[in-house]
Amino acid sequence: MSATSTATLLPGRRILVTGAARGLGLAFVEAIAAAGARVAMADILQDTLAASVSTLQQRGLAVEGFSLDLADPASVQSCAQAAIAWMGGLDGLVNNAAITNSGGKSSEQLALEMWDRVMDVNVRGTWLMTNACLPALRTSGRGAIVNLSSDTPLWGAPNLLAYVASKSAVIGMTRSLAREVGADNITVNAVAPGLTLVEATEYVPQARHQHYLDGRALQRDQLPEDVCGAVVFALSDMARFFTGQVMAVNGGFVMH
């Protein structure tokens, strides 16, 4: 999604993006900032985050980096507070940060510690960050939450159970929260990307990549920029009567 086509969509908005140091999160930050927003970039990967922030600032984009460990409730709270203070408020939250960890293992091969780690980051962390941001989003009057799910729970991807379960939970949380905060004029939507070519999917076997390529209506690799349009839309005024929805962005691999 080009900067030219989005430049008037998010003027003056204040957006927090988690998992923003690289991959999809970084692509979201670039698109959101190019659309006119100030963006707080949060991540646990401090060196990578610092490099990404520096690169975007050199391009004239209004971004700043903040340390975040979603598995640590105190870190979540301090990150949200610092980001909101830097921006002077909050209009949008993109809950993108997540871990996979369970890839390539059957249900019986999953360790209890691995299951708990995935749930602590992907589900509990998303919940905690959302709660930390809700007061500021209410004050905004046009708050928007975008939760990154995945298309894996939409088709039941095998040998990825902890991750799939966590991303299914994100969908359920999205729908329930949309009803809870609708009276506050806050929208809550989920974006469910397909298998995207980023660092986080480098572990995926070639056979799974081919499975996606063969099953897509649009038969090409999915790139980070393919997902940005849905995220920018959900944060913008074009989506003010759009809430509790799941947007599957996967080239037609799953249609629902």
Side-chain angles (χ1 to χ4, degrees):
M1 197 168 190
S2 71
T4 302
S5 64
T6 66
T8 61
L9 287 180
L10 301 173
R13 299 295 174 89
R14 300 154 299 181
I15 311 294
L16 170 58
V17 180
T18 69
R22 63 181 187 175
L24 273 176
L26 180 57
F28 297 154
V29 171
E30 292 184 84
I32 292 165
R38 173 180 280 197
V39 187
M41 302 171 60
D43 209 297
I44 195 172
L45 303 174
Q46 286 300 288
D47 292 343
T48 305
L49 179 63
S52 296
V53 168
S54 177
T55 297
L56 296 183
Q57 287 177 341
Q58 290 172 22
R59 288 170 45 190
L61 298 178
V63 303
E64 188 55 83
F66 298 87
S67 176
L68 171 65
D69 179 358
L70 278 182
D72 178 2
S75 174
V76 173
Q77 192 66 38
S78 63
C79 174
Q81 290 175 347
I84 292 167
W86 175 71
M87 292 186 288
L90 188 68
D91 303 301
L93 168 64
V94 180
N95 281 312
N96 169 71
I99 58 175
T100 304
N101 289 41
S102 58
K105 300 182 186 302
S106 70
S107 174
E108 294 168 302
Q109 293 171 330
L110 292 176
L112 179 61
E113 295 77 11
M114 179 184 292
W115 178 276
D116 288 346
R117 174 70 177 171
V118 171
M119 295 301 165
D120 282 349
V121 173
N122 297 5
V123 182
R124 190 185 70 171
T126 295
W127 167 59
L128 291 174
M129 179 57 77
T130 298
N131 282 350
C133 291
L134 279 177
L137 290 170
R138 289 191 180 98
T139 300
S140 165
R142 57 181 182 183
I145 299 171
V146 182
N147 294 326
L148 266 292
S149 180
S150 164
D151 77 344
T152 55
L154 302 181
W155 68 275
N159 299 321
L160 193 62
L161 188 62
Y163 178 80
V164 173
S166 73
K167 290 304 186 178
S168 182
V170 168
I171 291 174
M173 291 163 61
T174 296
R175 291 169 173 160
S176 181
L177 189 64
R179 295 192 182 277
E180 287 191 21
V181 300
D184 298 313
N185 205 31
I186 299 173
T187 62
V188 189
N189 292 290
V191 173
L195 182 58
T196 308
L197 296 186
V198 292
E199 296 93 335
T201 59
E202 290 176 351
Y203 77 93
V204 177
Q206 183 55 40
R208 179 63 63 85
H209 281 277
Q210 194 61 48
H211 181 62
Y212 265 91
L213 283 171
D214 292 342
R216 287 177 180 139
L218 303 175
Q219 294 191 339
R220 64 166 175 81
D221 287 327
Q222 180 165 345
L223 304 175
E225 51 264 36
D226 292 322
V227 191
C228 291
V231 173
V232 172
F233 162 74
L235 292 169
S236 76
D237 283 343
M238 292 192 299
R240 292 314 305 163
F241 204 66
F242 184 86
T243 195
Q245 306 303 317
V246 180
M247 292 182 279
V249 184
N250 59 16
F253 183 79
V254 175
M255 302 179 184
H256 73 112

